[in-house]
Amino acid sequence: MKLQQQYVKIREDMKRRAHETGEAAPIPITVRQLEAIVRLSESLAKMRLSHDATEDDVGKAFKLFDTSTMDAARSGINQQINITSEMANEIKQAETQIKRRMGIGARLSERRLIEDLARMGMNDSMVRRALLIMHQRGEVEYQRERRSIVRKA
């Protein structure tokens, strides 16, 4: 159970950081990372010639995960572009408008949403970026080959 609690804490931390900065998480935290931590724990146990992983093995696996993967995410090493504060502000504004325009559970054409927000004076590339960030956070879902968007949360 401790493994799940630590995993949930890491996911929440990454989502919070992505929401605060307005940027997508550079390394998506998924079930695969949890599986990797389990494999690391098992490997550490095998190094001790044991068939069972202990809490100490899990702790060491998390420490390895944190120093490798999470440090890379925190440093922004995987970011392909630098976002200026102006761009981050525009993306935040686009997110706010998207949330106002689409209620939870609402479905809308991506093209129509971008056109509507462009008429309001928003840059269409910033709207697309905001949608991508919201998608990575699980707030919107693309459907029908990215032609329509559904607001999740």
Side-chain angles (χ1 to χ4, degrees), residues 1-47:
M1 190 58 105
K2 186 175 182 179
L3 177 66
Q4 289 174 336
Q5 290 169 343
Q6 288 176 320
Y7 174 72
V8 168
K9 182 182 174 295
I10 287 173
R11 273 189 69 108
E12 288 173 352
D13 184 43
M14 291 297 288
K15 283 184 179 181
R16 180 186 47 77
R17 189 173 297 122
H19 187 68
E20 286 173 358
T21 62
E23 300 173 8
I27 298 174
I29 304 300
T30 64
V31 174
R32 288 186 184 202
Q33 277 75 22
L34 179 60
E35 292 169 346
I37 292 166
V38 169
R39 285 192 301 274
L40 275 170
S41 301
E42 291 170 345
S43 297
L44 289 166
K46 287 179 185 178
M47 287 172 52

Side-chain angles (χ1 to χ4, degrees), residues 14 17 26-27 68-79 82:
M14 291 297 288
R17 189 173 297 122
I27 298 174
S68 61
T69 308
M70 300 304 287
D71 280 353
R74 286 185 200 113
S75 71
I77 200 166
N78 289 343
Q79 290 179 338
N82 293 327

Side-chain angles (χ1 to χ4, degrees):
M1 190 58 105
K2 186 175 182 179
L3 177 66
Q4 289 174 336
Q5 290 169 343
Q6 288 176 320
Y7 174 72
V8 168
K9 182 182 174 295
I10 287 173
R11 273 189 69 108
E12 288 173 352
D13 184 43
M14 291 297 288
K15 283 184 179 181
R16 180 186 47 77
R17 189 173 297 122
H19 187 68
E20 286 173 358
T21 62
E23 300 173 8
I27 298 174
I29 304 300
T30 64
V31 174
R32 288 186 184 202
Q33 277 75 22
L34 179 60
E35 292 169 346
I37 292 166
V38 169
R39 285 192 301 274
L40 275 170
S41 301
E42 291 170 345
S43 297
L44 289 166
K46 287 179 185 178
M47 287 172 52
R48 290 184 297 101
L49 302 176
S50 173
H51 293 287
D52 300 321
T54 64
E55 276 192 43
D56 188 47
D57 294 325
V58 173
K60 287 179 183 176
F62 260 104
K63 188 172 181 179
L64 283 168
F65 176 79
D66 191 48
T67 55
S68 61
T69 308
M70 300 304 287
D71 280 353
R74 286 185 200 113
S75 71
I77 200 166
N78 289 343
Q79 290 179 338
Q80 296 174 351
I81 63 164
N82 293 327
I83 296 179
T84 65
S85 60
E86 290 176 14
M87 290 171 68
N89 190 31
E90 284 184 58
I91 291 169
K92 277 278 194 206
Q93 288 175 352
E95 281 185 43
T96 302
Q97 290 302 321
I98 291 167
K99 289 176 182 177
R100 284 185 184 156
R101 179 82 170 82
M102 295 182 71
I104 294 175
R107 178 186 315 265
L108 190 62
S109 159
E110 180 186 38
R111 183 177 52 85
R112 182 172 176 195
L113 176 65
I114 292 170
E115 287 173 357
D116 288 350
L117 294 180
R119 273 188 237 116
M120 294 173 60
M122 305 207 91
N123 183 330
D124 64 331
S125 66
M126 292 300 130
V127 173
R128 289 180 197 280
R129 238 180 232 169
L131 283 169
L132 181 63
I133 290 167
M134 291 174 75
H135 173 70
Q136 289 174 335
R137 277 193 238 137
E139 295 175 6
V140 296
E141 180 181 296
Y142 286 108
Q143 292 183 345
R144 295 196 281 167
E145 298 175 359
R146 285 190 66 154
R147 280 185 256 154
S148 80
I149 303 165
V150 177
R151 170 111 185 267
K152 292 296 203 181

